[in-house]
Amino acid sequence: MPYAIRVRETGGPETLVWEEIAVGDPGPGQVRLRQTAIGVNFIDIYFRAGLYEQPLPFIPGREAVGVVDAVGPDVTSLKPGDRVVYSGVQGAYAQVRLVPAARLVKVPDGISDDVGAAVMQKGMTAQFLCRQTYRVSKGDTILVHAAAGGVGLVLSQWAKHLGATVIGTVSTEEKAELVKAHGCDHALVHGKDDFVKVVREVTGGVGVPVVYDSIGKDTFMKSLDCLRPRGLMVLFGQSSGPVPPFDISILDKKGSLYLTRPTQNAYLPTRAKVEEGAQEVFDVVQSGAVKVHINQRFALKDAADAHRSLESRKTTGSLVLMA
Ligand SMILES: NC(=O)c1ccc[n+]([C@@H]2O[C@H](COP(=O)([O-])OP(=O)(O)OC[C@H]3O[C@@H](n4cnc5c(N)ncnc54)[C@H](OP(=O)(O)O)[C@@H]3O)[C@@H](O)[C@H]2O)c1
């Protein structure tokens, strides 16, 4: 029987329990996948902790690479033996699982299982952030928080590839060195550098057209002060906690600012959009424009250790669980 990590009650990393599971045959539109590598994302922590709600019990995780083991009666797009990847489908922390065929994309030959699992969710997120939420262009100066993180490291490299000057924030000098080697022209360390002041200096007092903020509570208000008039605040995560309610007239006082809270579901609503996003991710990885760093690997059964590392800000780049 295969195993999976299951959450029976929300809480700390100890709620991630290694259990035997029963996986049936794939139904219509489904594929059974023997998974090899599973990506860990900060959103997995929100679900485990109960910040995002999900009926209990559940298997966490949202992205993985695997080999098709069996297909449902009407599935013609895939066959047993195909190597595929998905993101945004809850239930990834498992050795074997059922996945809707429509969510699966074939992994190109040049991309290994662990790189596929490390980059799909983070890369698709970076893709819509810098190509759709705000189209980063040559000559832009932008601010990326948590630039050494999973999404941050991909986004910084991708924005640099598009011709932007990238200002990144991180929490340590080691992370600053890493991001300077991966897309960031300026690496600012929380507690040492005042990022509002530096952004103002670098932009000649004008401010940036876009801030990508995944930290939330601790950075949100200061991020607004980094924007130029009519700039776009992209709040796409909350690793420090949710942003408390605030008076919306702040956006007027700080320069007619725009604010968006983008999600993958809204940007990848159709099969065509998933394929388009995945292709762009594969292209930037295969061209070398975006280097994927798997700086932490764990056995699937040790998912709790992966969560402890991620939420204590010890990690850089991607974390992968090996099934
Ligand atoms: N909207 C979407 O569709 C979408 C999709 C994917 C990811 N996300 C969001 O993007 C963010 C990044 O996800 P990820 O998986 O790549 O994680 P990550 O960036 O690798 O990890 C989170 C990082 O946030 C920073 N951080 C600042 N304050 C923190 C705190 N109090 N606790 C923990 N971390 C803190 C840390 O970097 P420093 O130590 O360098 O500050 C940490 O490494 C998350 O907020 C996630 O929810 C959103």
Side-chain angles (χ1 to χ4, degrees), residues 14 18 23 39-40 85 87 92 114 131 150 165 175 188 197 208 214 219-220 234-235 283 285 302 306 316 322:
E14 71 286 352
W18 183 239
V23 183
V40 178
V85 63
S87 78
D114 50 1
R131 303 267 299 124
T165 297
K175 289 185 180 186
L188 312 182
K197 186 163 166 272
V208 291
S214 66
T219 45
F220 180 81
V234 182
L235 178 74
D283 287 348
V285 171
D302 297 327
T316 55
M322 304 311 292

Side-chain angles (χ1 to χ4, degrees), residues 35-149:
Q35 304 199 121
T36 52
I38 298 149
V40 178
N41 293 282
F42 214 90
I43 193 171
D44 305 345
I45 294 173
Y46 303 146
F47 278 109
R48 187 211 72 212
L51 181 64
Y52 290 179
E53 284 181 18
Q54 165 95 353
L56 292 164
F58 66 90
I59 295 174
R62 299 169 72 78
E63 78 180 326
V65 168
V67 176
V68 174
D69 180 38
V71 300
D74 57 347
V75 174
T76 53
S77 56
L78 293 166
K79 58 180 186 326
D82 285 343
R83 203 165 61 98
V84 292
V85 63
Y86 62 87
S87 78
V89 189
Q90 191 85 341
Y93 289 11
Q95 290 176 323
V96 179
R97 72 167 298 187
L98 301 174
V99 188
R103 301 300 297 259
L104 295 166
V105 178
K106 285 188 191 165
V107 185
D109 283 347
I111 293 185
S112 64
D113 290 13
D114 50 1
V115 166
V119 80
M120 190 42 60
Q121 165 113 358
K122 297 157 189 82
M124 298 279 257
T125 304
Q127 189 274 344
F128 73 70
L129 290 175
C130 70
R131 303 267 299 124
Q132 300 184 63
T133 312
Y134 176 87
R135 285 187 78 87
V136 173
S137 310
K138 193 170 166 50
D140 281 339
T141 298
I142 69 167
L143 176 62
V144 177
H145 286 299

Side-chain angles (χ1 to χ4, degrees), residues 145 190 195 213 215-224 240:
H145 286 299
H190 296 294
F195 68 79
D213 189 337
I215 295 181
K217 179 171 68 66
D218 290 357
T219 45
F220 180 81
M221 282 300 166
K222 283 179 150 189
S223 292
L224 295 179
S240 69

Side-chain angles (χ1 to χ4, degrees), residues 174-244:
E174 293 73 26
K175 289 185 180 186
E177 287 308 313
L178 178 72
V179 302
K180 277 196 262 177
H182 294 87
C184 289
D185 300 275
H186 306 270
L188 312 182
V189 180
H190 296 294
K192 184 187 129 209
D193 300 307
D194 176 345
F195 68 79
V196 179
K197 186 163 166 272
V198 177
V199 165
R200 291 279 156 199
E201 282 167 7
V202 169
T203 58
V206 176
V208 291
V210 64
V211 176
Y212 293 109
D213 189 337
S214 66
I215 295 181
K217 179 171 68 66
D218 290 357
T219 45
F220 180 81
M221 282 300 166
K222 283 179 150 189
S223 292
L224 295 179
D225 291 329
C226 296
L227 286 163
R228 74 182 184 198
R230 293 190 288 137
L232 176 63
M233 173 69 184
V234 182
L235 178 74
F236 70 99
Q238 47 196 15
S239 52
S240 69
V243 175

